[in-house]
Amino acid sequence: MKPNGDANGVTALEVSAVSHSYGSKRALNDVSFSITPGNFTVLLGLNGAGKTTLFSLISHLYDTRHGSIRIFGNDISRAPGEALRRLGIVFQARTLDLDLSVYQNLSYHASLHGIGAREARRRIDALLASVDMADRRHDKARSLSGGQMRRIEIARALLHRPSLLLLDEATVGLDIQSRAGILATIRKLVATDGIGVLWATHLIDEVEENDHVVVLREGNLVAKGNVKEVILSTGMNTIREAFSQLSGLDAQQSEGLAP
């Protein structure tokens, strides 16, 4: 597949021949793909496929020892500051301080990025409005539902205006309405702001027809391309059937790919 790039030929994210091991256990094996600015890419994989390990490497929580990762041309190992400046992350685990208010959580994060108080207030107000949480700005985080917490984490990840957003199983544990709302919020960002998104999930119903898809199985990249290309490469009729085949699932197991 031809590498994705913006008008200047720079990719939002380029993962090249990345491998990673935990002792003798290989978690990723020679993984390569790229993401276009303004593109929604779904990283599909069952639990243990390597999605979280890959996110930890992209976000520089782990050092990349085999292969390279570039964010808008900046190598995460050689220029981590510049690379991470372009990156926003929403991890699977909840990370809000439950004893602080929504505004305090966001304000603290803004200060970590060197954003002044006046500018932070302006950005926080705009982002809370964009995720439909403006009326909860003074509420403590512990009073929010799971879906509301996730919306605040998304707002927080966008405070420093990244060009690439990573979300690791962002809808796990949420009800159907909350899941749909989170997905709609992120897809709107792609359409209106041109942000690049890597959305990791094992839930096949979160994939839409125009998405790009990267499929991991036991640390190996087994398919990549747009939805139609991945379906055609397997000889299946739907993306659910294609993912089931690529992941080695039988018919009964594939029923677990949606809540």
Side-chain angles (χ1 to χ4, degrees):
M1 186 172 67
K2 185 177 180 180
N4 297 319
D6 63 9
N8 297 317
V10 179
T11 56
L13 173 67
E14 184 175 2
V15 176
S16 301
V18 168
S19 297
H20 190 79
S21 297
Y22 300 103
S24 61
K25 179 178 174 54
R26 181 63 67 94
L28 292 172
N29 183 39
D30 198 29
V31 172
S32 298
F33 66 93
S34 59
I35 294 178
T36 308
N39 178 267
F40 191 98
T41 297
V42 182
L43 179 64
L44 274 174
L46 303 178
N47 291 336
K51 304 189 301 296
T52 298
T53 296
L54 181 58
F55 269 41
S56 296
L57 291 168
I58 296 172
S59 59
H60 204 47
L61 291 178
Y62 301 155
D63 190 29
T64 308
R65 297 185 179 181
H66 302 282
S68 66
I69 296 172
R70 292 181 175 85
I71 299 173
F72 286 92
N74 300 291
D75 190 296
I76 191 67
S77 294
R78 298 178 181 177
E82 184 60 25
L84 294 175
R85 186 182 67 81
R86 308 293 296 273
L87 182 66
I89 310 169
V90 178
F91 287 109
Q92 182 175 348
R94 299 286 189 267
T95 55
L96 295 177
D97 188 321
L98 299 181
D99 292 321
L100 296 182
S101 70
V102 166
Y103 184 85
Q104 287 170 330
N105 268 281
L106 297 180
S107 180
Y108 177 70
H109 188 75
S111 68
L112 293 178
H113 283 276
I115 302 171
R118 180 178 296 179
E119 177 64 13
R121 283 194 298 272
R122 191 179 70 81
R123 294 190 190 187
I124 290 170
D125 288 344
L127 285 167
L128 287 178
S130 73
V131 297
D132 297 322
M133 290 293 292
D135 60 335
R136 304 300 298 271
R137 61 185 287 126
H138 297 304
D139 295 346
K140 285 194 174 182
R142 68 171 63 257
S143 71
L144 305 179
S145 68
Q148 291 169 335
M149 285 188 186
R150 194 55 95 197
R151 288 176 181 273
I152 298 305
E153 288 173 334
I154 291 169
R156 183 180 61 183
L158 295 170
L159 263 176
H160 63 291
R161 295 178 175 168
S163 304
L164 175 65
L165 185 63
L166 274 57
L167 301 101
D168 186 9
E169 299 279 6
T171 62
V172 165
L174 302 183
D175 58 57
I176 292 176
Q177 184 176 359
S178 295
R179 291 176 60 233
I182 296 299
L183 269 165
T185 297
I186 298 303
R187 291 186 182 280
K188 182 180 178 181
L189 286 169
V190 175
T192 61
D193 297 350
I195 193 169
V197 168
L198 182 60
W199 176 278
T201 187
H202 68 281
L203 301 174
I204 199 65
D205 67 329
E206 295 183 347
V207 181
E208 293 190 356
E209 183 178 358
N210 293 325
D211 292 340
H212 277 71
V213 177
V214 175
V215 183
L216 291 179
R217 177 181 178 181
E218 297 177 349
N220 295 289
L221 192 152
V222 292
K224 63 181 177 180
N226 60 44
V227 169
K228 183 177 180 179
E229 289 170 338
V230 171
I231 293 172
L232 288 174
S233 72
T234 61
M236 297 289 106
N237 297 312
T238 67
I239 188 63
R240 176 184 295 275
E241 293 173 352
F243 181 44
S244 296
Q245 183 195 80
L246 291 165
S247 299
L249 300 179
D250 58 31
Q252 184 175 3
Q253 291 172 317
S254 68
E255 294 179 0
L257 299 179

